[in-house]
Amino acid sequence: MIGFVYRKIMKHRHSVYLLLGVIFCLALALRVARTFLTDRIDKDSVLYVNMAKDWAYKGKEHAFERNPRIPPLYPSLMAAGEKVGLGAEFTGRAVSVLSGALLVIPVFMISRLLFTNISVALLAAFLCAVHPSLIRISEDVLRDSLFLFLSVTGLAFAVNAVDKVKGSSYLLWGLAGVFASLASMTRSEGAEFFVICAVFLALSIFMGMKHFQHYFAGVCLAFLVFIGVGLSAEKAIDKSSSSWSLIDPRIKGYLDSFVGMNEKNLKDREAKYSR
């Protein structure tokens, strides 16, 4: 019965967008319903709410005094909601719910290109809409849902850019850079988008893909856009107590620790076998 109805719908023009719209509405309804099942927020949520209120009433100069390392995008959205009377907590939850519902769109975009099958792409979007863990994180006053949506959207634009090669591909690479930068303004891990790009370029060389130069130019464009958007955000909060930066400064420490650990392991191994 379901298969028969599905085939009938797919015969109509714009049926794919209709079904994707239905899946989005389902995702939104499930996430909104989930918000009524909880009457408390996480301790990190309390931090974001207080940061947003500090931003709204004391100014951005005092917004990051509670935790200078928090990226600015999520608290700024909550602060905007507080200023217009929606409330910081309500705005934070609304952003998470809407981001979680919108996630079905970039998931559909990626699946459609990877599997070249509309039905599989719609199924992937449906599974994203009803996945219990994704529903749960979408009702929290936390950054996870927004970060996931922005990251996957950036990846979706990049995948589409690779598929097109010419024409509008550079516009898509630019949009990928914008969303990657917004993701980095939500969580510091947003810059990991370019780790994926680096792996892709390495595979392009290894596999001898004929459009490598075009891919490389696209990634460079995305990175320049990423830096430009991110530096604008840094400039906007440069007089505040924030210590956030577009490229997480902890990365260097992680690399130094990793290299130091490897050197220590090598020395220990040399000492062991030299006895």
Side-chain angles (χ1 to χ4, degrees), residues 44-60 62-72 74-76 78-79 88 241-242:
D44 287 340
S45 305
V46 175
L47 170 65
Y48 302 143
V49 169
N50 288 330
M51 287 179 65
K53 289 182 177 180
D54 288 343
W55 196 324
Y57 300 121
K58 298 180 181 179
K60 66 180 180 181
H62 303 280
F64 300 91
E65 290 177 351
R66 298 174 186 270
N67 190 332
R69 293 191 297 105
I70 298 295
Y74 194 58
S76 69
M78 295 173 66
S241 54
S242 175

Side-chain angles (χ1 to χ4, degrees), residues 149-161:
F149 165 68
L150 294 172
S151 299
V152 177
T153 301
L155 186 61
F157 280 123
V159 170
N160 276 269

Side-chain angles (χ1 to χ4, degrees), residues 18 36-37 76 123 138 140 180 202 217 229 239 247 249 264 273 275:
L18 173 63
F36 291 99
L37 300 179
S76 69
L123 177 60
S138 296
D140 287 332
V229 174
K239 294 182 180 180
I247 305 298
K264 183 178 184 301
Y273 289 104
R275 293 174 182 173

